[in-house]
Amino acid sequence: MIVQTTNDLVALIEGGLAETGRDLESSAFVVRQEVATQLSLLALAAGEPGYERAVRVAARSVALRAGISVTEDADAVDARLWGIVYAGLFFGARVAGGKA
Amino acid sequence: MKQLLVLSLALLASCAGARARDHVLMPLARQSWPDVRTDVERGVGDALAASEFTIADADAAIDEANWLEETLEAGQRLPLAGFDFEALLGPLAERGIQAQLAAGEVGPNGAEVLRRHLDLFRQTLSLIADRPTLVGTPADNPYVKKPVERRLEAKLR
């Protein structure tokens, strides 16, 4: 479950970045590893207090490693990718943690 | 000729490093800072509540956080060379995470996510601070002032 969600999420990020001619800031391996680690932690954190903040912080870590800007003035592509990363982690971890 | 080649490579490497620090690491630190700051402020509040900090200590910590934020916003790499995050803000951020955990505001796994993010910020900051210029050291860097020196200057002004 986590492996599948990780692969899907990294593919979505890579696809989104490729639309604007960009690559992942770190290597795909690093980003994939970060997504998998964060998903594993968040799957355990789902149902704990502070889950939303944990997801936001985790999504920021993933996005920054991938080279996605997370500032309020980020461009449309980055804003969309940020949304994908956040939602992917939020729901992916809940499903993986059996809290969907 | 060989010396010239070595010097050119060193120059190239230093330029690439500086570019990476300005265009990759600085934005990374700037954008990961807000979450770290939240934890720092929580740590300050916790230290105050435990009477381990006076109001002056809390002000000093917030001053330092403000200075770091301004420096990151301005993209100034040089002043960060002499900045020791672990002297005050790092331990406060850790304390803030621990306080959130103790208060049940975040669970143990969520706290681990916050710690990983703090580590990312730490690593980024130390990479930015590493060898900021080809020549010179933090000690003779005129831009580097310790927080206590800055506060003293502000008082004297």
Side-chain angles (χ1 to χ4, degrees):
Chain A
M1 179 66 211
I2 285 181
V3 172
Q4 186 59 49
T5 310
T6 298
N7 289 339
D8 289 348
L9 200 48
V10 174
L12 280 169
I13 295 169
E14 281 183 311
L17 288 172
E19 282 175 24
T20 52
R22 288 151 63 197
D23 291 323
L24 293 170
E25 194 77 62
S26 311
S27 71
F29 174 76
V30 170
V31 177
R32 186 167 283 116
Q33 200 176 33
E34 182 64 13
V35 172
T37 306
Q38 297 288 8
L39 270 173
S40 306
L41 282 170
L42 291 172
L44 296 169
E48 285 181 0
Y51 178 65
E52 280 187 33
R53 173 156 194 245
V55 173
R56 201 171 56 245
V57 171
R60 226 185 268 267
S61 284
V62 169
L64 290 173
R65 278 188 168 87
I68 299 165
S69 177
V70 296
T71 54
E72 283 179 9
D73 58 353
D75 63 30
V77 173
D78 278 12
R80 183 165 63 87
L81 287 173
W82 160 250
I84 288 171
V85 172
Y86 179 84
L89 289 179
F90 190 96
F91 294 111
R94 282 180 71 101
V95 171
K99 303 281 188 333
Chain B
M1 189 63 194
K2 195 178 171 186
Q3 281 176 329
L4 193 65
L5 182 68
V6 170
L7 185 64
S8 313
L9 282 174
L11 268 168
L12 261 174
S14 83
C15 290
R19 194 175 153 74
R21 287 186 191 101
D22 286 340
H23 297 278
V24 179
L25 297 173
M26 192 60 89
L28 184 63
R30 190 163 49 237
Q31 296 181 60
S32 51
W33 164 247
D35 290 312
V36 176
R37 180 170 183 135
T38 302
D39 296 331
V40 167
E41 288 173 349
R42 189 69 166 78
V44 171
D46 190 60
L48 268 173
S51 301
E52 289 171 31
F53 260 24
T54 62
I55 297 289
D57 291 333
D59 280 348
I62 297 300
D63 277 354
E64 191 148 315
N66 288 340
W67 174 84
L68 179 58
E69 187 164 313
E70 284 161 18
T71 307
L72 291 174
E73 285 295 329
Q76 293 177 318
R77 189 159 35 89
L78 221 47
L80 294 174
F83 178 69
D84 186 5
F85 180 72
E86 296 312 320
L88 183 62
L89 300 184
L92 279 172
E94 274 170 17
R95 182 176 186 144
I97 294 170
Q98 196 56 39
Q100 291 170 72
L101 182 60
E105 292 164 21
V106 66
N109 296 293
E112 192 52 36
V113 171
L114 302 186
R115 282 195 197 98
R116 277 182 64 84
H117 189 76
L118 176 60
D119 282 344
L120 170 71
F121 182 76
R122 273 196 174 113
Q123 288 163 16
T124 310
L125 210 57
S126 80
L127 283 170
I128 291 171
D130 181 36
R131 209 180 51 152
T133 52
L134 192 61
V135 288
T137 60
D140 56 35
N141 178 347
Y143 295 96
V144 174
K145 287 199 174 84
K146 289 187 174 125
V148 66
E149 291 172 328
R150 287 194 303 274
R151 281 197 292 279
L152 198 62
E153 274 187 359
K155 273 184 186 164
L156 292 173
R157 243 184 265 133

